[in-house]
Amino acid sequence: MFFIKAKAMNFIEEIIEEDLKNGKNGTKVHTRFPPEPNGYLHIGHAKSICLNFGLAQKYNGQCNLRLDDTNPTKEDVEYVDSIKEDIQWLGFQWAAEYYASDYFDQLYQWAEWLIQNNLAYVDDSTQEEISLGRGVPTKPGTESPYRNRTVEVNLDIFRRMRAGEFAEGSKVLRAKVDMASPNMHMRDPILYRILHAEHHRTGNKWCIYPMYDYAHGQSDSIEGITHSICTLEFEVHRPLYDWFCDTLKIHHPQQIEFARLNLNYTIMSKRKLMLLVQEKYVMGWDDPRMPTISGLRRRGYSPESIRNFAETVGVAKRENIIDVNLLEFCAREHLNKVAQRRMAVLDPVKLIIDNYPDGQVELMNAVNNPEDPEGGTRQVHFAKELWIERADFKEDADKKFFRLTIGGEVRLKYAYIIKCTHIVKDDAGNILEIHATYDPETKSGMEQSNRKVKATIHWLSVEHAQQAEVRLFDKLFTVPEPDNTEEGKTFLDYINPNSMVVIDGFVEETMSLENTHPYYQFERTGYFCIDKDSTSQKLVFNKTVGLKS
RNA sequence: UGACCAAUGGUGUAACGGUAGCACUACAGUUUUUGGUACUGUCUGUCUAGGUUCGAAUCCUGGUUGGUCAACCA
């Protein structure tokens, strides 16, 4: 008999369990993930996705995907497609796929109802006048001169707005709430604005489009959402969310706010990420340096590791900046279990085993994954001339260095124990060749091979190794908080010029486009994956994350 | 000079009036044919001042600090 300590609940789970206990929504838990299709999803969205879909799973409920497409000037189907792909890649499936635009008719009916009940009016004020009239947070606003138009006039003008009689920006529909409210969002919020823009789903049916506050809560309501989870900045919108549900007397989901994810050494603003793409600071939304889900995917992160990350960071209401180390830890933790081991030499120097017979070639057995007993083995060619990492040899080694040095021994993994005899340099002092002798009795598997050797290094046969492009990534920004800029600078001033280093290295010859695995570990180096830029002529690898050192 | 929200090691997150725990980071050590993994250990924390209470990270009040709000964005 043993006890498992229950994992602590986050505050949203506590709310849900309390609601379940009180039968607030029966036994139902229904969430939604409501992105605006105006950019690609990032790791912050991943947290929200895991939260919303995870909650639905945990409580046997459902989670909808709802694309919040109320602003046709910013939204595009490209983004819709990428959002759906990213969510599914993360491992989640929505119960239903909806669009805020599905509700435009219903929203319009409610708007007319509000007008008829003297709770909404058409305002002809200019944008500036409206802004001025709203006042400032510390001072109440003033009522619009158009606030007391009759129901009949309002209805007539609103219908003509819909019919397309008026120019963009000339009129808006506002709710009649409270111009003196300490909450700016309650000072007669705008419900509809005129936008003569084609919508990616409704085409030219509409020229008036609802604002977020008017559309979001009602969309939740229509879908029967029980818990509407959003980020902290919407906290001040909640009274308005509640006002619409109460005023319209419709199902009233509970809005709950949590702190969005922030990661150090990167940015999370969609607008800024878009800028990086448009100004070509990166190769695209899916550049492996981007914090986007597609970027992380291309970088070689597994969905498991991202889900685990989202679970590990927790859910709370306090502002936070997560150390990117935690993300990398989650990547290693999962990749260690699943990645196929391969030998790759990224900074090669030639090792010649002088007493190894010319022309002899042996096939050495190498295990594919020591963490996976079922992982099997493969064979790697061994010969007299090998590539090893330049960093694995040191001419004047201190006590801390226990790899190859003149007169020293080292094990070639899966092969022999060798002893370095001498090196050959060019005139500039660069090492050209490292010479060694091997002990034939120490081949892996032989009794002598069990001898204690200080270090084991990886290698590749010069004759058999295949050249490959390897892209080494580092942080995109040089400072922990690129958004927290000093006077006169922008986040662009902190871009790391060395965030991508492209090198040519050698990998095992059996690796090919036809024979791939999603995750590799280059022994002793790090985790890598094959990039989409690979051709049958040349493989391209992305470094996901290095091994801990 | 408003309203709302928050405050626990370096970073996150628990403790629901009764032993401040967990993860990451950092640093040590054991094991190891990856300087990986695994395992063990160490360092470091309740913003502040009062109050309530036998007892406060937790409840109350003031302060401080941080965040959000003044798009016809979401």
Side-chain angles (χ1 to χ4, degrees), chain A residues 339-348 351 362-370 377-383 385-389 392 411-416 444 456-462 464-468 470 505-512 519-528 539 541 547:
Chain A
Q340 288 272 308
R341 309 300 129 121
R342 292 291 183 273
M343 292 195 282
V345 180
L346 304 186
D347 183 17
L351 171 71
E362 288 182 86
L363 281 168
M364 301 304 191
N365 289 314
V367 321
N368 289 327
N369 185 352
T377 60
R378 66 190 186 284
Q379 296 193 307
V380 185
H381 289 280
F382 183 87
E385 293 199 356
L386 304 170
W387 294 120
I388 63 169
E389 297 288 351
D392 283 340
R411 182 196 308 280
L412 296 177
K413 192 170 174 93
Y414 302 129
Y416 297 97
S444 285
T456 300
I457 65 171
H458 61 276
W459 49 270
L460 245 22
S461 161
V462 169
H464 301 91
Q466 122 177 249
Q467 216 161 42
V470 182
F506 292 102
V507 300
E508 292 182 24
E509 81 274 22
T510 52
M511 301 177 86
S512 72
Y519 311 111
Y520 290 104
Q521 183 198 100
F522 290 168
E523 296 262 5
R524 307 205 302 126
T525 305
Y527 296 98
F528 292 79
L539 293 177
F541 289 91
L547 258 28

Side-chain angles (χ1 to χ4, degrees), chain A residues 74-261:
Chain A
K74 289 189 176 171
E75 295 147 7
D76 196 279
V77 281
E78 177 198 349
Y79 302 126
V80 174
D81 294 341
S82 73
I83 287 167
K84 288 161 69 174
E85 184 186 1
D86 289 347
I87 296 170
Q88 288 178 317
W89 177 77
L90 273 177
F92 297 104
Q93 187 55 55
W94 44 90
E97 174 184 337
Y98 293 128
Y99 295 78
S101 54
D102 295 340
Y103 313 130
F104 281 177
D105 283 300
Q106 175 64 261
L107 258 11
Y108 178 82
Q109 293 307 317
W110 279 329
E112 286 209 353
W113 186 90
L114 288 171
I115 292 170
Q116 273 155 350
N117 286 274
N118 200 23
L119 290 164
Y121 61 98
V122 174
D123 195 332
D124 295 359
S125 306
T126 64
Q127 195 162 158
E128 199 187 358
E129 284 163 348
I130 289 178
S131 174
L132 245 36
R134 199 152 24 216
V136 291
T138 52
K139 285 201 183 75
T142 51
E143 295 189 353
S144 164
Y146 300 93
R147 198 175 200 259
N148 294 312
R149 295 219 255 221
T150 64
V151 168
E152 290 67 32
V153 169
N154 278 319
L155 207 49
D156 175 60
I157 305 177
F158 185 52
R159 285 175 179 167
R160 285 161 58 201
M161 274 170 69
R162 180 194 183 175
E165 282 190 32
F166 306 111
E168 229 169 87
S170 60
K171 290 173 170 32
V172 291
L173 184 72
R174 290 229 256 172
K176 208 180 273 189
V177 188
D178 177 8
M179 290 306 290
S181 170
N183 184 333
M184 296 294 287
H185 298 277
M186 300 300 274
R187 321 242 264 225
D188 287 9
I190 292 171
L191 270 33
Y192 275 93
R193 75 285 215 193
I194 298 169
L195 247 30
H196 292 283
E198 184 169 323
H199 187 279
H200 70 105
R201 283 182 70 82
T202 60
N204 292 308
K205 179 178 176 185
W206 298 90
C207 62
I208 55 170
Y209 289 93
M211 299 287 290
Y212 166 85
D213 283 311
Y214 184 65
H216 200 93
Q218 286 93 307
S219 299
D220 283 343
S221 181
I222 292 168
E223 292 177 24
I225 299 303
T226 57
H227 303 271
S228 176
I229 297 163
C230 61
T231 45
L232 247 31
E233 66 268 29
F234 292 101
E235 206 153 25
V236 281
H237 294 244
R238 180 154 29 96
L240 187 52
Y241 184 110
D242 293 340
W243 189 88
F244 284 123
C245 287
D246 291 343
T247 303
L248 295 168
K249 301 182 185 67
I250 56 178
H251 165 65
H252 192 153
Q254 180 181 5
Q255 176 177 305
I256 305 169
E257 310 86 14
F258 72 99
R260 62 155 15 106
L261 172 77

Side-chain angles (χ1 to χ4, degrees), chain A residues 307-533:
Chain A
R307 277 188 257 127
N308 192 250
F309 173 72
E311 180 66 32
T312 307
V313 296
V315 179
K317 293 194 74 160
R318 105 169 96 157
E319 300 285 338
N320 59 81
I321 302 175
I322 306 291
D323 194 332
V324 69
N325 274 314
L326 182 61
L327 214 212
E328 298 194 338
F329 167 81
C330 292
R332 291 191 193 99
E333 188 186 41
H334 180 241
L335 262 17
N336 176 51
K337 296 190 189 107
V338 299
Q340 288 272 308
R341 309 300 129 121
R342 292 291 183 273
M343 292 195 282
V345 180
L346 304 186
D347 183 17
V349 63
K350 199 172 274 186
L351 171 71
I352 300 168
I353 303 171
D354 293 314
N355 64 339
Y356 194 83
D358 288 341
Q360 179 170 313
V361 173
E362 288 182 86
L363 281 168
M364 301 304 191
N365 289 314
V367 321
N368 289 327
N369 185 352
E371 305 291 320
D372 177 12
E374 319 269 275
T377 60
R378 66 190 186 284
Q379 296 193 307
V380 185
H381 289 280
F382 183 87
K384 185 186 182 87
E385 293 199 356
L386 304 170
W387 294 120
I388 63 169
E389 297 288 351
R390 197 164 280 276
D392 283 340
F393 174 85
K394 215 170 187 179
E395 196 175 357
D396 41 346
D398 55 20
K399 287 196 294 289
K400 291 285 190 86
F401 185 87
F402 47 90
R403 281 162 283 165
L404 202 54
T405 185
I406 294 172
E409 273 192 335
V410 85
R411 182 196 308 280
L412 296 177
K413 192 170 174 93
Y414 302 129
Y416 297 97
I417 295 173
I418 59 159
K419 183 177 206 163
C420 176
T421 53
H422 63 285
I423 57 175
V424 177
K425 292 186 189 176
D426 66 13
D427 294 340
N430 302 309
I431 298 173
L432 261 22
E433 294 172 353
I434 298 168
H435 287 261
T437 56
Y438 84 117
D439 177 352
E441 300 302 308
T442 60
K443 184 172 174 178
S444 285
M446 288 179 161
E447 201 176 322
Q448 281 297 304
S449 74
N450 293 326
R451 231 173 68 204
K452 272 259 185 278
V453 185
K454 276 194 297 181
T456 300
I457 65 171
H458 61 276
W459 49 270
L460 245 22
S461 161
V462 169
E463 185 190 344
H464 301 91
Q466 122 177 249
Q467 216 161 42
E469 177 176 325
V470 182
R471 297 175 180 171
L472 307 172
F473 300 107
D474 196 359
K475 299 176 174 75
L476 227 202
F477 295 94
T478 55
V479 294
E481 297 177 52
D483 277 328
N484 196 357
T485 55
E486 46 187 296
E487 191 65 28
K489 294 198 170 185
T490 76
F491 71 104
L492 295 171
D493 292 310
Y494 302 107
I495 288 186
N496 176 5
N498 304 314
S499 60
M500 178 166 82
V501 174
V502 180
I503 60 169
D504 265 316
F506 292 102
V507 300
E508 292 182 24
E509 81 274 22
T510 52
M511 301 177 86
S512 72
L513 237 31
E514 291 71 43
N515 175 28
T516 62
H517 194 273
Y519 311 111
Y520 290 104
Q521 183 198 100
F522 290 168
E523 296 262 5
R524 307 205 302 126
T525 305
Y527 296 98
F528 292 79
C529 69
I530 294 185
D531 188 77
K532 65 179 186 184
D533 288 347

Side-chain angles (χ1 to χ4, degrees), chain A residues 286 288 294-300 471 529 531-533 542:
Chain A
D286 69 346
S294 53
L296 291 165
R297 175 166 65 232
R298 187 172 174 190
R299 174 88 171 237
R471 297 175 180 171
C529 69
D531 188 77
K532 65 179 186 184
D533 288 347
N542 292 326

